[in-house]
């Protein structure tokens, strides 16, 4: 019963003890309003479907570097 926006708000409110945790949401092409909402609600990134695995990998690595996780 929880969608990605609810989960994002809970994370940013500190419900899981790490409000600074990087969060990326996934939306379908054509949902520009949802992409804007995701960023307004505090998402660090938004992936728009369809996407390639190479793109997902690059975005995850970028977010990991931002929080100090060593890369491959």
């Amino acid at each position: 019963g929880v969608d990605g926006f609810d989960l994002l708000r809970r994370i940013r409110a500190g419900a899981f003890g790490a409000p600074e945790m990087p969060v990326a949401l996934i939306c379908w092409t054509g949902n520009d309003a949802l992409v804007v909402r995701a960023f307004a609600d505090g998402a660090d990134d938004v992936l728009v479907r369809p996407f390639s695995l190479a793109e997902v990998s690059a975005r995850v690595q970028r977010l990991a570097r931002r929080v100090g996780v060593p890369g491959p």
Side-chain angles (χ1 to χ4, degrees), residues 50-61:
F51 47 77
S52 70
L53 292 179
E55 178 184 357
V56 172
S57 177
R59 289 174 180 264
V60 168
Q61 288 176 31

Side-chain angles (χ1 to χ4, degrees), residues 16-58:
F16 302 100
E20 70 286 346
M21 176 189 331
V23 177
L25 297 182
I26 299 172
C27 295
W28 284 100
T29 299
N31 286 325
D32 294 342
L34 291 181
V35 173
V36 171
R37 178 180 168 196
F39 284 123
D41 285 355
D44 295 289
D45 202 357
V46 178
L47 290 105
V48 177
R49 288 183 178 201
F51 47 77
S52 70
L53 292 179
E55 178 184 357
V56 172
S57 177

Side-chain angles (χ1 to χ4, degrees), residues 5-19:
F5 292 102
D6 292 331
L7 185 57
L8 174 60
R9 279 189 294 278
R10 290 179 188 185
I11 290 169
R12 293 298 179 242
F16 302 100

